[in-house]
């Protein structure tokens, strides 16, 4: 029994097919100066062919089942022809007088190494984009051959070391019951693709390829993150039963997701989506999100690293979000760079307390103004709202507003988009009444609020048990923010992970929160939880929780109710 990270839910039993997506071998050849022009032309032709081939796969994948995959392939097609990328390779061809294959691998390595330095796993995984694209261009340089099997037997479980979007496009998803990968993480493309296909998937399973015997029936339980590589007859039978039960539950959940979330006593709770990548946009429709509650725009910044994204590139991204939201709000958080996200600024000794979030933007007005300009240009396309991360003081909001007003005037808007404040630093929670006067809405980021209030690094496993977003001290802060928002007529939502936690939802609704924003795949489960609640009763229990002595006390209060 192997264990990995479950990234797309479900249970499947099927025959293991082990696939190796071979890379293209790279050789180095020295060129004479007379050969350099031809070599650059060869590179550019291969890049064009790779882009065409990726676009072809993208069109084939699009239309329903593979929308996310189509979007990723389209993005890869753009990277393949991106001038920053191609000039970096061409410079190597000329500077080092080497063949295109070598220069390509070398440039991809360097881009990858830079991204690999990022602290955030999501960003490290973006290095995979460059590797995937380089592999496609490399394939074209070597004549466009591929060793990927086009047709797997029906009912296969795909077992591989990793899966690039282009490799995924070469598979027929109707033949695959589940995907299990030795590598990959929660935000890797394989994850997005598996979710897009609605297929159970487990990634990051060490020793997988060596442990699985080809053609043998295996049980993939992506509810528990386990892969049974040598099941007995009895375990196979139980796997089949569970697969059926889980399919039935998912069907119920889908019908729940499509309906609005209303508590038993009639409180309507809005559930929006937290997005990081444009590739996730089709999930808005699939999971019936009531808009985007948090777009982590720093991922746009990462994607165009080492340069920062220009006005038009950003404008196109924000317009795409607004179009997909179909009139619902789209809340774009300005770059939350620095800190544990590890991009942008030098990190210093204590990055979480350093030049990050809004502080970084105010210190780099060129980057901030470009983003605000793009946001203001996109704003007429829908209900766009702007959210400021890591606010600690009123003066920061005032300064940001000045930048926004300038950008709005330049874009010819009669009034700037609504400007909201993320409440994720204790000083912001405790100044909520003052902040309400300077801003239009609040979004509580419980992930950071817990980190800063409890002095517990949210990513450090050594103190993970002390990371308790249900701590009464945090609930008291949330309550203060709700009251300040109410007094000033400012909407208050929660976009941290607490909004997807079953007890967290009950506590938040009890504290007066009626807008939640969660990762798209959690929208159904959150709604399922909301409809079981009685908001009046939750408010009484939340009152008790505010007087509790610690987080376990809070849990006890709410668990007792659910029994
Ligand atoms: C938060 O801090 O709760 C939040 C939603 O932002 P992030 O997780 O991106 O820091
Ligand atoms: Mg945060």
């Amino acid at each position: 029994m192997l264990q990995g990270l479950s990234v797309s839910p479900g249970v499947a039993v099927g025959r293991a097919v082990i696939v190796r997506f071979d890379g293209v071998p790279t050789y180095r050849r020295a060129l004479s100066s007379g050969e350099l022009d031809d070599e650059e032309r060869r590179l550019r032709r291969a890049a064009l062919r790779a882009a065409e081939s990726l676009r072809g796969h993208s069109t084939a994948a699009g239309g329903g089942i593979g929308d996310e995959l189509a979007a990723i392939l389209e993005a890869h097609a753009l990277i393949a022809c991106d001038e920053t990328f191609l000039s970096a390779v061409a410079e190597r061809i000329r500077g080092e007088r080497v063949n295109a294959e070598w220069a390509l691998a070398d440039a991809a390595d360097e881009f990858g190494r830079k991204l690999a330095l990022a602290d955030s796993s999501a960003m490290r995984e973006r290095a995979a984009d460059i590797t995937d694209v380089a592999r496609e261009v490399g394939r074209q340089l070597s004549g466009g051959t591929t060793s990927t099997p086009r047709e797997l037997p029906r009912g296969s479980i795909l077992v591989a070391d990793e899966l690039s979007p282009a490799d995924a496009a070469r598979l027929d998803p109707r033949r695959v019951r589940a995907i299990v990968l030795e590598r990959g993480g929660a935000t890797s493309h394989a994850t997005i693709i598996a979710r897009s296909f609605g297929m159970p998937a487990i990634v990051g399973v060490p020793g997988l390829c060596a442990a699985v015997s080809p053609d043998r029936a295996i049980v993939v339980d992506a509810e528990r993150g386990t892969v049974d590589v040598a099941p007995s007859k009895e375990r196979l039978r139980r796997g089949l039963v569970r697969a059926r039960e889980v399919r039935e539950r998912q069907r119920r959940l889908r019908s729940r997701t499509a309906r609005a979330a209303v508590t038993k006593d009639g409180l309507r709770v809005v559930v929006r989506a937290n997005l990081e990548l444009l590739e996730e946009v089709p999930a808005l429709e699939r999971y019936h999100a009531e808009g985007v509650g948090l777009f982590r725009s720093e991922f746009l910044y990462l994607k165009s690293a080492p340069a920062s994204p220009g006005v038009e590139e950003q404008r196109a991204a924000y317009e795409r979000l607004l179009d997909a939201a179909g009139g619902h709000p789209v809340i774009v958080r300005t770059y939350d760079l620095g800190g544990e996200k590890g991009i942008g600024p030098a990190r210093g000794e204590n990055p979480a307390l350093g030049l990050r979030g809004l502080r970084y933007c105010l210190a780099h007005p060129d980057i901030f103004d470009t983003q605000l300009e793009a946001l203001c240009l996109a704003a007429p396309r829908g209900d766009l709202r702007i959210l400021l991360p890591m606010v600690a003081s009123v003066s920061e909001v005032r300064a940001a507003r000045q930048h926004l007003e300038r950008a709005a005037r330049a874009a010819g808007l009669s009034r700037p988009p609504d400007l909201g404040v993320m409440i994720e630093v204790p000083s912001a929670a405790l100044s909520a009444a003052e902040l309400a006067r300077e801003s239009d809405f609040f979004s509580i980021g419980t992930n950071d609020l817990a980190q800063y209030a409890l002095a517990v690094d949210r990513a450090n496993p050594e103190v993970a048990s002390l990371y308790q977003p249900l701590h009464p001290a945090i609930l008291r802060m949330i309550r203060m923010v709700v009251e300040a928002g109410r007094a000033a007529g400012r909407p208050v939502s929660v976009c941290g992970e607490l909004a997807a936690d079953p007890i967290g939802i009950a506590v938040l609704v009890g504290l007066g929160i009626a807008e939640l924003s969660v990762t798209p795949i959690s929208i159904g489960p959150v709604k399922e939880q909301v409809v079981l609640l009685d908001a009046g009763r939750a408010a009484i229990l939340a009152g008790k929780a505010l007087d509790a002595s610690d987080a376990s006390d809070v849990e006890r209060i709410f668990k007792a109710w659910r029994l």
Side-chain angles (χ1 to χ4, degrees), residues 230-434:
S232 62
K233 271 213 176 92
E234 175 53 21
R235 291 215 301 265
L236 266 181
R237 194 192 59 78
R238 272 195 308 223
L240 284 165
V241 171
R242 247 177 81 66
R244 201 171 332 112
E245 283 168 2
V246 169
R247 268 200 307 277
E248 182 52 29
R249 203 188 67 226
Q250 286 180 335
R251 200 188 51 70
R252 274 201 316 273
L253 204 57
R254 270 198 299 279
S255 72
R256 176 67 262 152
T257 308
R259 280 176 283 145
V262 181
T263 62
K264 280 182 183 156
D265 51 343
L267 176 78
R268 170 88 163 80
V269 177
V270 172
V271 189
R272 302 201 174 102
N274 290 351
L275 297 188
E276 294 173 358
L277 306 170
L278 288 176
E279 286 87 340
E280 293 174 290
V281 161
L284 289 179
E285 200 186 329
R286 169 151 329 121
Y287 297 106
H288 303 271
E290 296 168 272
V292 179
L294 172 69
F295 179 65
R296 292 178 161 107
S297 71
E298 54 276 9
F299 286 85
L300 284 180
Y301 187 96
L302 165 90
K303 280 218 151 185
S304 68
S308 57
V311 171
E312 280 313 314
E313 183 185 340
Q314 287 189 63
R315 176 189 184 161
Y318 305 140
E319 287 184 344
R320 181 147 173 235
L321 288 170
L322 289 163
D323 289 348
H328 289 298
V330 170
I331 299 174
V332 176
R333 173 171 80 184
T334 56
Y335 298 140
D336 189 8
L337 297 167
E340 80 285 349
K341 309 209 171 183
I343 28 171
R347 301 181 42 227
E349 280 206 352
N350 214 339
L353 304 181
L355 190 62
R356 60 167 297 191
L358 181 58
R359 302 166 187 177
Y360 179 78
C361 284
L362 290 174
H364 293 82
D366 45 336
I367 293 178
F368 195 36
D369 288 340
T370 305
Q371 181 168 40
L372 293 173
E373 185 184 344
L375 286 163
C376 287
L377 289 170
R381 193 83 156 230
D383 182 356
L384 180 102
R385 305 177 193 177
I386 298 174
L387 181 61
L388 301 171
M390 293 299 298
V391 169
S393 298
V394 168
S395 58
E396 294 166 322
V397 183
R398 288 197 188 121
R401 192 175 277 289
Q402 283 183 0
H403 283 270
L404 178 60
E405 279 170 359
R406 259 200 316 275
R409 271 196 304 277
L413 299 183
S414 54
R415 59 179 292 274
D418 277 0
L419 184 66
V421 169
M422 272 201 90
I423 305 290
E424 49 184 351
V425 176
S427 64
L430 301 172
S431 326
E434 290 75 17

Side-chain angles (χ1 to χ4, degrees), residues 92 105-115:
R92 278 180 171 74
D106 206 35
D109 255 16
E110 188 184 323
F111 276 117
R113 263 202 310 278
K114 277 192 188 146
L115 289 170

Side-chain angles (χ1 to χ4, degrees), residues 6 43 48 68 81 110 156 159 180 184 221 223 255 317 319 365 375 448 487 492 506 546 553:
S6 171
L43 164 74
L48 266 181
E68 282 93 341
C81 287
E110 188 184 323
S156 299
V159 174
V180 198
D221 188 335
E223 305 287 301
S255 72
E319 287 184 344
L375 286 163
D448 276 316
V492 182
L546 287 170
D553 221 11

